[in-house]
Amino acid sequence: MTSAPTQTWNPADYHKHARFVSDLGMPVVELLAPKAGERILDLGCGDGALTLKLAQMGCTVKAVDASPHMVAAAQKLGLDAEVADGHALAFEAAFDAVFSNAALHWMQQPEAVIAGVWRALRPGGRFVAEMGGHGNVASIVQALEAALQARGLPAHNPWFFPTPEQYRALLEAQGFAVQHMQLLPRPTPLPGDVGAWIETLAQPFLADVPQAERPQLLAEVVNALRPVLCDAHGNWHADYVRLRFAATKPPTA
């Protein structure tokens, strides 16, 4: 069996084209309401921008990410970061909270992720996160799929964008008590056009496109999306929809 195309992360490209991901992450930090002295796991830490904020609030933070390049960037900030697969977390009753921003939708086996978070939490611990939700970047996905279909190529969609009902059911099946579950449409300004966003954040879709043909495909997708995602002044946005939630592992678990 061949493995699915993977996303690779370049911290410099991420900073240039996707800095808004962590910049817009403070509401989920506020939902977490971290307290000084708490031990927190940042699941899918990226380059560590939000991890650093948690550490500055007095928390002891362990950061994990599947990308060695992103982990190296987090370590350069002085953070305790290591490479780990979110589907196979190895922690046992080690944290007061598990925090995640813009990472869970990259993990397509949510039951395994939630089970690992459950194990990692102490009784009474909380799981607070924001991820792509149902309808996230729907117009971008549609345009990519159309361009690929016209070439007879498959669309490797790397994302899991659940409905609130879907994710609540997954959490409750594990035993979590859900306190907060909200789907938030959040049109998000982009620093450039949507083509740069695709090259930075949607690489698996391009996996079967020959390198020489990618500029043409991206130009087609950008042109198709211009009436939808670009205003009269040339400012682009992505049609983001976020799923934000807070859940607790019962004190007796």
Side-chain angles (χ1 to χ4, degrees):
M1 185 174 76
T2 57
S3 60
T6 57
Q7 169 82 18
T8 59
W9 297 99
N10 179 306
D13 286 347
Y14 184 85
H15 183 85
K16 181 178 179 181
H17 299 298
R19 181 74 283 155
F20 59 84
V21 174
S22 59
D23 289 347
L24 294 173
M26 282 311 291
V28 73
V29 173
E30 291 164 11
L31 184 61
L32 176 67
K35 301 178 186 68
E38 286 192 312
R39 185 160 172 76
I40 297 175
L41 175 66
D42 186 350
L43 173 56
C45 65
D47 60 6
L50 284 178
T51 322
L52 183 61
K53 291 186 184 297
L54 294 174
Q56 289 169 341
M57 292 175 174
C59 301
T60 300
V61 191
K62 180 75 174 181
V64 296
D65 199 281
S67 166
H69 298 295
M70 288 300 216
V71 166
Q75 289 172 339
K76 285 181 180 177
L77 297 176
L79 298 166
D80 178 9
E82 66 182 49
V83 177
D85 180 354
H87 298 98
L89 296 173
F91 306 103
E92 296 283 344
F95 299 99
D96 300 300
V98 174
F99 169 83
S100 186
N101 181 59
L104 294 174
H105 53 259
W106 291 97
M107 306 173 202
Q108 294 199 326
Q109 300 164 44
E111 294 90 348
V113 175
I114 291 168
V117 170
W118 176 272
R119 289 192 305 271
L121 284 170
R122 295 168 178 156
R126 56 207 196 279
F127 181 21
V128 178
E130 185 174 294
M131 64 189 293
H134 181 67
N136 192 55
V137 296
S139 64
I140 299 174
V141 171
Q142 186 177 11
L144 280 166
E145 288 177 343
L148 291 164
Q149 185 177 13
R151 291 166 169 76
L153 296 173
H156 302 286
N157 189 327
W159 300 315
F160 165 63
F161 295 144
T163 65
E165 296 77 14
Q166 201 178 357
Y167 210 79
R168 178 185 289 272
L170 290 167
L171 289 167
E172 290 178 345
Q174 180 62 58
F176 280 102
V178 179
Q179 285 84 35
H180 182 92
M181 181 71 66
Q182 186 179 17
L183 195 66
L184 299 160
R186 193 193 71 200
T188 301
L190 299 179
D193 69 29
V194 74
W197 183 95
I198 291 167
E199 289 186 290
T200 304
L201 290 168
Q203 294 166 13
F205 282 98
L206 306 177
D208 291 334
V209 182
Q211 197 72 38
E213 296 177 25
R214 288 186 185 183
Q216 177 61 34
L217 181 142
L218 285 169
E220 287 176 21
V221 171
V222 168
N223 286 334
L225 290 170
R226 194 178 303 277
V228 184
L229 300 181
C230 185
D231 67 19
H233 304 289
N235 301 309
W236 285 83
H237 73 275
D239 51 337
Y240 273 47
V241 180
R242 312 315 277 173
L243 184 65
R244 188 181 299 162
F245 66 86
T248 305
K249 181 176 180 176
T252 54

